[in-house]
Amino acid sequence: MTTKDVVFGALGLLACCSGVLVVTARNVIHAALWLVVTLGALAACYLLLTADFVAWVQVLIYAGAIVVLLLFAAMLTRAPVGPGQDLDSGNRPAAALVAGGVGVTLVTLLVQAFRSAYVDLDRVAGTGAGRPIGDALFRSYVLPFEIASVLLLAALVGAIVLTRPEIGRR
Amino acid sequence: MMPVWAEVALKLVGCLLAFLTLPLLVGQLEHKTMAHMQSRLGPMYAGGFHGWAQLVADGVKFAQKEQIVPAAADSVVFRLAPVVALLPYLLVLAVIPIGPGEQVAQALDVGLFFALAVISVAVLGPIMAGWASANKYALLGGLRAAAQLLAYELPLVLAAASAAMAAGTLSLPGIVEQWRWWWLPYQGVAAVVFFTAGLAELRRPPFDMPVADAEIVFGPYTEYTGLRFAFFLLAEYAGIVVFAALTTVLFLGGWRGPFLDVQLGWLWTLIKVMALSFAVIWLRVSYPRLRADQLQRFAWTVLVPLSFAQLLLTGVVEVARA
C-alpha cells in the first residue's frame, strides 16, 4: 500500500461522508455546500489518477456553475437560516429503496468488472493532460461525443418548452 | 544549482509576497487615481510621502476592530465565507508565468483550466456570505451576485477558450510562447470580452449591482466587520491583480516586450498588469452602475454572441493555418 493509495482512500471516504451529509443535512444551503465538498474530493481523486483535465473541468462545471445555480435557486425560493422543517418528503422510504438498489447494483457491477484490474499510475502519467484527451474525444470517440452533445441540446430545448407553456399552445 | 525543494519553496514565497503586496499596490493606486480624477488629493499624511502607508494603517485598523457574528447568522458558513472568497486567488497566482522559461511557480499542462476552475470556486464566497448573514439586504446582494456570476461565467470561459485554440495549448506559459503581435487584432474581441466579464466576476463598477450601496447597504458584506471584512476587500483587489494578469498572459503576450524579453520579462508582465489594473480603476470612475436587467441583457445579447463569433473566427483561421 503506497501513500497514494492511502490518500485516495481518505479522499474517497471524504466524498462518501460528505455525500451522506448532502442528503441528511437539515438545511438546503448546507446540503449544497456539502455537495461542493463531495465534488471537490472527487476532483482530487481524479487528480491522483493523473486525470488533470477531467479534475479541473469537474471543479469548473460542478462546483463553480452547477452549485452556484443550485444556491441561486434555493435562495430565490426559500432559504431560511437555521434548520428547515419540511425537507423530508413522504417518499423517503421509496427513495431510499431506489437509491440503495442503484448503489448496490453499481458497486457490484464495478467490483465484478474491475476486480483484478490494476492501473500503474507511473505508466499512464500524462494521458490525462489536455492534448491526449482532445485527441481521444475528437478522433477516436468523435461519434459518441457528438451524439452526447445532440442529446444535451435536445434536453435543453425540452426544458425550455416545458417551462414555457405558451410555446405549445401556439 | 538549488535543490528542487528549495526552488519550489522560493517560488511559493514569491507568490505569497506578490499576493500580499500587489493588491495593496492596486488599492493605493485606486485611492490616488480616483482622488485625482475627482479633483481631490486622496490620502496625503500616513507614512509621509503622498500617504503611501494609508492601506497599512487601514489594515491595522481592521485588525483592531471587533469581529461580530450576528446572533441569527449561520456562524460556520459566515466565518468560512471570507476564506472561500480569498484563498482561490492565492492559488491562481501559482500558475501565472511572470517571465520566460522557469519563471512560474507551478507550470501546469492544463493551467488555463486550473485558473478558471479555481476562480469559479471563489464566487461561492459572496453567495455564502449573503445567505449566512441572515439579513435581507445581504440575501438580496447574494442573489444578485449569483445571477451576475452565472451570466458572465460563460463569455469568460469562451473568450479564454479562443486564446487557447489560437495557441493550441492549455498551458499558460505555452500560450505566451505562441503569442505573436498580430494576436492583438486577431484575438482583440476575445480580449475585450474576457476583461469585461472579469470585471463582472469581480463585481467591480459598473458591474457592482450586488454591493450597490445606495440600495442594499453593502450587499453580502453588510454584516461583516474587522478582519473578515478586510478579507473580502483584499479578495476584490487580489481579484483585480489575477484577472489583469490572466488578460496579460492570454491576450497581451505576457512577458513579451519591445526589447530584452528574456532579461526583463517580469518587468513587462508587471507593467501590463498594472496598466490593466489602472484601466479597472478608470472604468470605476467613468461609468455609472448598470441595472440588473441591463447587466443580464449585456451578458447574453452582447458578450456571449461576441465570444461565439470570436470562437468561430479563431476556429476557421486555425484550421486554415494547420
Side-chain angles (χ1 to χ4, degrees), chain B residues 63-114:
Chain B
Q64 287 172 333
K65 281 189 173 177
E66 186 186 359
Q67 301 201 27
I68 299 167
V69 179
D74 188 304
S75 81
V76 178
V77 180
F78 188 83
R79 284 160 207 263
L80 216 56
V83 183
V84 174
L86 183 60
L87 213 53
Y89 291 119
L90 174 62
L91 291 177
V92 173
L93 280 187
V95 295
I96 290 174
I98 58 161
E102 292 293 299
Q103 296 179 38
V104 50
Q106 183 65 50
L108 282 183
D109 174 67
V110 287
L112 178 59
F113 263 92
F114 171 82

Side-chain angles (χ1 to χ4, degrees), chain A residues 27 29-30 33 36 52-53 56-57 59-61 63-69 71-72 75-76 79-82 128-132, chain B residues 72-74 77 108-110 113-114 116-118 120-121 123-124 127-128 130-132 134 139 142-143 146-147 150 153 157 168 170:
Chain A
N27 188 305
I29 305 283
H30 284 179
L33 293 176
V36 177
D52 300 20
F53 183 77
W56 296 121
V57 168
V59 174
L60 180 68
I61 306 290
I66 298 214
V67 172
V68 171
L69 189 63
L71 285 173
F72 178 67
M75 281 162 71
L76 196 62
V81 176
R131 187 171 293 275
Chain B
D74 188 304
V77 180
L108 282 183
D109 174 67
V110 287
F113 263 92
F114 171 82
L116 292 175
V118 171
S120 75
V121 173
V123 307
L124 285 174
I127 300 172
M128 284 163 72
W131 174 76
L139 186 66
L143 266 177
L150 277 177
E153 185 87 6
V157 175
L170 289 171

Side-chain angles (χ1 to χ4, degrees), chain A residues 143-157:
Chain A
L143 192 63
F145 178 77
E146 291 299 332
I147 290 176
S149 73
V150 171
L151 183 68
L152 286 176
L153 184 65
L156 203 66
V157 175

